[in-house]
Amino acid sequence: MADGITGVVTLSPESGERVRGVAAGLGVDHALDEITRPELMEARRTGDIALVHSWELVTAVDGPGTRMTMFMSGCPLRCQYCHNPDTMEMKTGTLERVDDVVTRIKRYKPIFRASGGGLTISGGEPLFQIAFTRRVLKEVHDAGIHTTIDTSGFLGSRLRDEDLDNIDLVLMDVKSGDEETYQRVTRRQLQPTLDFGDRLNRIGKPVWIRFVLVPGLTDSAENVENVASIVERWKSNVERVEVLPFHNMGKDKWEGLDMTYHLADTKPPRPEDVEKVRDVFRAKGLEVY
């Protein structure tokens, strides 16, 4: 499995700027497209350079306040409902220098201060290109900016204790509550997420949990109860649980990548069914949205 350091980077040809959202203008150092492979491999090892998929500047979505969200390329999971399947492989994005990224983020510090926001590193999986993520988190956190990672927890063991000191909030996706369902959803194992969640609980790190409700996949009463029971054991540091209804807005991306989208005929859950699942978490004494 490529680990974000030794894996192969291929930049797919695209037209126009390879960025999105109102943060357009970030991530356009095309001079780095000419970097040689040995130089690139060394720069990725040290965290000097990474492949950034895209950016967004949003409010109250990926953490508190106005967030600058940086989406990293690369992910070890293969979630059936992924709405950014083009982040799975390290094939699309813009090569970015860590110093340039930190400088750009710092420009938004007045906005972050006014709104109580900050930086969120998402993906893909933010811990896939770990050296780069580690350096960005430290420099941005040292600058007094609130930092968040949006992760499945599968690669949580890559974070050192000092890395966790540079993270103010963890958004963690608990995909399912039992091993069989988790593997069906992600093609990976549940245990690393449990281990990471337990570690965050031991140190009292603030966490927001996310659970995607997918009819016919994650919505069984047993699976929902299992997820709620897992999160309940972290209740002392989990600030909120977000139950997110499935949508198939990523369908066109899957098809555009010639990937089989198994949920093409799956409909979003009914609002009353989503609320029923939220009640399961509320019954555990959790704050639920």
Side-chain angles (χ1 to χ4, degrees):
M1 180 177 67
D3 62 1
I5 296 176
T6 59
V8 176
V9 171
T10 302
L11 292 181
S12 301
E14 296 184 8
S15 59
E17 293 183 348
R18 289 169 289 176
V19 295
R20 69 176 184 175
V22 296
L26 294 173
V28 290
D29 188 352
H30 299 299
L32 284 176
D33 291 351
E34 307 301 321
I35 192 171
T36 67
R37 179 179 173 79
E39 291 172 335
L40 177 59
M41 292 301 102
E42 176 61 17
R44 290 170 64 200
R45 185 189 67 79
T46 61
D48 287 338
I49 291 174
L51 190 66
V52 176
H53 177 268
S54 52
W55 300 77
E56 283 185 348
L57 188 66
V58 295
T59 299
V61 174
D62 296 319
T66 299
R67 312 298 301 182
M68 174 67 74
T69 302
M70 178 173 65
F71 296 86
M72 304 295 293
S73 286
C75 183
L77 273 59
R78 295 295 179 264
C79 298
Q80 289 193 39
Y81 53 76
C82 180
H83 59 274
N84 282 326
D86 47 339
T87 65
M88 291 180 179
E89 304 289 346
M90 294 188 65
K91 293 183 177 179
T92 58
T94 304
L95 288 174
E96 294 277 12
R97 296 187 190 276
V98 66
D99 292 340
D100 294 338
V101 165
V102 171
T103 297
R104 292 168 189 152
I105 294 167
K106 286 180 180 178
R107 291 177 189 154
Y108 289 83
K109 188 173 180 179
I111 296 174
F112 300 149
R113 186 185 301 114
S115 69
L119 170 71
T120 298
I121 306 182
S122 185
E125 168 56 57
L127 306 183
F128 194 74
Q129 300 185 78
I130 183 61
F132 184 87
T133 294
R134 173 178 288 130
R135 289 182 59 181
V136 171
L137 287 169
K138 176 170 176 50
E139 294 194 40
V140 171
H141 193 262
D142 284 351
I145 296 172
H146 184 277
T147 55
T148 298
I149 60 168
D150 181 4
T151 178
S152 70
F154 184 77
L155 298 179
S157 62
R158 291 185 170 191
L159 289 170
R160 304 175 302 210
D161 290 346
E162 54 264 39
D163 298 326
L164 289 173
D165 290 340
N166 295 320
I167 299 171
D168 295 305
L169 172 69
V170 175
L171 308 182
M172 191 160 70
D173 299 310
V174 179
K175 313 286 185 177
S176 288
D178 66 84
E179 188 64 34
E180 181 181 353
T181 304
Y182 197 91
Q183 290 196 27
R184 188 162 68 249
V185 172
T186 70
R187 290 167 42 188
R188 294 292 183 260
Q189 296 75 41
L190 170 61
Q191 192 60 48
T193 295
L194 301 181
D195 293 342
F196 186 52
D198 289 343
R199 182 183 174 196
L200 296 175
N201 179 255
R202 285 194 299 271
I203 66 174
K205 181 65 64 177
V207 172
W208 291 7
I209 295 293
R210 288 171 162 177
F211 171 62
V212 180
L213 188 66
V214 186
L217 185 62
T218 68
D219 66 338
S220 72
E222 181 181 9
N223 187 54
V224 170
E225 179 64 31
N226 286 341
V227 174
S229 294
I230 289 169
V231 179
E232 182 184 21
R233 76 192 202 199
W234 304 329
K235 188 162 59 175
S236 62
N237 66 303
V238 170
E239 295 183 343
R240 63 193 286 175
V241 176
E242 297 177 350
V243 177
L244 306 176
F246 162 78
H247 63 75
N248 59 10
M249 289 187 287
K251 177 175 178 290
D252 291 343
K253 287 187 179 181
W254 283 75
E255 294 174 348
L257 294 167
D258 293 324
M259 298 169 65
T260 301
Y261 187 60
H262 296 287
L263 301 177
D265 297 325
T266 300
K267 305 297 183 185
R270 299 178 305 173
E272 56 266 35
D273 291 335
V274 176
E275 198 59 31
K276 187 181 300 183
V277 169
R278 288 177 176 143
D279 285 340
V280 174
F281 288 91
R282 290 187 181 111
K284 306 287 188 183
L286 296 157
E287 186 74 20
V288 185
Y289 292 82

